[in-house]
Amino acid sequence: MNKALTPILTDQAPAPAGHYAQAIRAGDMLYVSGQLPIRADKAPLDDMGFAAQARQAIANMLAILEAAGGTPADLCRVTAYIVGVENWPEFNRVYADMLGDARPARTVVPVPELHYGYLVEIDAVAALRG
């Protein structure tokens, strides 16, 4: 691997299930891979509703960001893939609750389906300090 690229791995988010890293740090930039609503211990969520899934996927992204030394204020861009455009308002509510004052650039992409039947996947780019 390129010495300028540093993989990020935390046990506070699910381990990669394929040939990818949870995130890659390139200088001060962090690229977080798509996070599904899977708990770090792989146990099923108690509630499989959209809001609970959104909360878990965002929590995974934030755990990886934190493991790299970042905070929500460091997020530059977030992309969310959601099943069902009708879930967009609920996604906005959960997202705003979890990111607080951070307002990165964002794209929400309604999709017909996601892997394993989940309802949300989220990835991110952050600019880390130091």
Side-chain angles (χ1 to χ4, degrees), residues 11-23:
D11 62 3
Q12 299 303 302
H19 191 73
Y20 62 93
Q22 284 176 330

Side-chain angles (χ1 to χ4, degrees), residues 78-90:
V78 172
T79 304
Y81 305 90
I82 64 171
V83 174
V85 71
E86 68 277 4
N87 287 316
W88 200 319
E90 186 67 5

Side-chain angles (χ1 to χ4, degrees), residues 30-55:
L30 182 71
Y31 301 89
V32 180
S33 293
Q35 296 299 303
L36 291 167
I38 300 170
R39 291 172 28 148
D41 63 6
K42 307 281 192 196
L45 299 178
D46 294 335
D47 174 359
M48 289 302 290
F50 181 83
Q53 288 193 38
R55 187 167 297 281

Side-chain angles (χ1 to χ4, degrees), residues 77-126:
R77 179 173 183 75
V78 172
T79 304
Y81 305 90
I82 64 171
V83 174
V85 71
E86 68 277 4
N87 287 316
W88 200 319
E90 186 67 5
F91 179 78
N92 280 335
R93 187 188 66 72
V94 172
Y95 180 85
D97 180 54
M98 294 188 73
L99 265 62
D101 292 334
R103 289 181 178 260
R106 186 186 85 179
T107 302
V108 177
V109 183
V111 297
E113 65 181 326
L114 289 167
H115 205 42
Y116 306 118
Y118 288 117
L119 302 175
V120 62
E121 182 172 357
I122 189 163
D123 66 29
V125 177

